[in-house]
Amino acid sequence: GKRCSMSELVIYMFDIFGTVVFAVTGALCGVRYKLDLLGVIVFACTVGVGGGMLRDVLIGAVPVAALTNETYLIACIGAGLLVFFVARWLSNLRQLIAFCDAIGLGVFTAIGAAKGCAYELHPIGVVLSGVLTAVGGGMIRDIMARSVPVVLTSDFYATAALLGGIVYYALDGFSRLPQFVIFMIVFAFVTGVRLAAMHFKLRLPVASSQEDE
């Protein structure tokens, strides 16, 4: 397929933006779980860079970006500190977390898929690269918080990323749109699907078992 020759700087700025947004959701979760300052910062870093690190390890982009460029972790730590000190004035943490999460999901799906294209992965590889980047950090956070990962139970969370990855691959391979436009379409699409799913309470079917009866 086409090489992903999008202006590197724009992707990088979005990557930092997505990292900060996800770090904020991680820190807010830490506050909700009544963790101390270090715990909140650990959650911020985990959600901010966890997915990207998982993706980079799997596609062989090592050493991973978060460890070769200190901006990522500094951004996470900054976001964690900020949330820790302003959390007491924030009302309705749950809604704020969900909104930031939807934006991060869109940004990271597009970035992951773009990186998958740049490494010339096959279609499934590109899609999974997007999904992993988007949901990896949140999964690690949920496991640390001893809850079933949101990605496995939530209304259209990983599904939104999966659809976004497919859209990215299709547009990259079969349209003549500039890379930046594809990126923005996928970002808007995934965030939109996620917010719509939350608003309309869309879910994938859940199997019922004898125990439910």
Side-chain angles (χ1 to χ4, degrees):
K2 283 185 297 186
R3 296 282 300 183
C4 291
S5 58
M6 176 174 150
S7 61
E8 296 289 311
L9 182 66
V10 178
I11 270 246
Y12 176 64
M13 297 309 288
F14 263 106
D15 208 2
I16 297 296
F17 170 67
T19 299
V20 169
V21 169
F22 260 178
V24 166
T25 72
L28 288 168
C29 279
V31 169
R32 274 190 67 208
Y33 287 119
K34 304 271 188 286
L35 303 185
D36 64 8
L37 177 59
L38 179 64
V40 169
I41 290 174
V42 167
F43 263 38
C45 292
T46 302
V47 185
V49 299
M53 288 175 85
L54 271 177
R55 172 206 64 218
D56 287 352
V57 167
L58 283 174
I59 68 176
V62 290
V64 298
L67 300 183
T68 54
N69 179 345
E70 61 280 351
T71 315
Y72 290 99
L73 283 170
I74 291 171
C76 290
I77 293 166
L81 285 168
L82 181 70
V83 168
F84 185 82
F85 290 112
V86 304
R88 70 188 66 181
W89 293 291
L90 299 174
S91 60
N92 206 340
L93 288 187
R94 191 184 287 267
Q95 271 194 321
L96 188 61
I97 291 170
F99 181 70
C100 288
D101 220 22
I103 292 174
L105 195 73
V107 173
F108 273 3
T109 299
I111 283 174
K115 198 150 186 181
C117 286
Y119 276 73
E120 300 190 338
L121 303 180
H122 284 263
I124 291 175
V126 170
V127 172
L128 288 181
S129 181
V131 173
L132 256 181
T133 311
V135 306
M139 282 186 73
I140 301 169
R141 171 202 64 207
D142 292 340
I143 290 164
M144 292 198 315
R146 289 188 310 200
S147 56
V148 177
V150 171
V151 48
L152 302 179
T153 59
S154 178
D155 31 24
F156 267 67
Y157 190 79
T159 314
L162 201 65
L163 294 172
I166 293 168
V167 170
Y168 195 104
Y169 184 82
L171 290 175
D172 183 71
F174 305 107
S175 79
R176 292 175 176 265
L177 293 171
Q179 212 66 41
F180 178 65
V181 175
I182 297 174
F183 186 91
M184 293 307 290
I185 290 171
V186 171
F187 163 47
F189 172 78
V190 175
T191 301
V193 168
R194 175 71 186 129
L195 290 173
M198 279 161 28
H199 181 72
F200 295 111
K201 303 210 171 8
L202 302 175
R203 302 186 63 97
L204 291 177
V206 176
S208 59
S209 66
Q210 292 293 314
E211 288 172 20
D212 301 334
E213 303 297 310

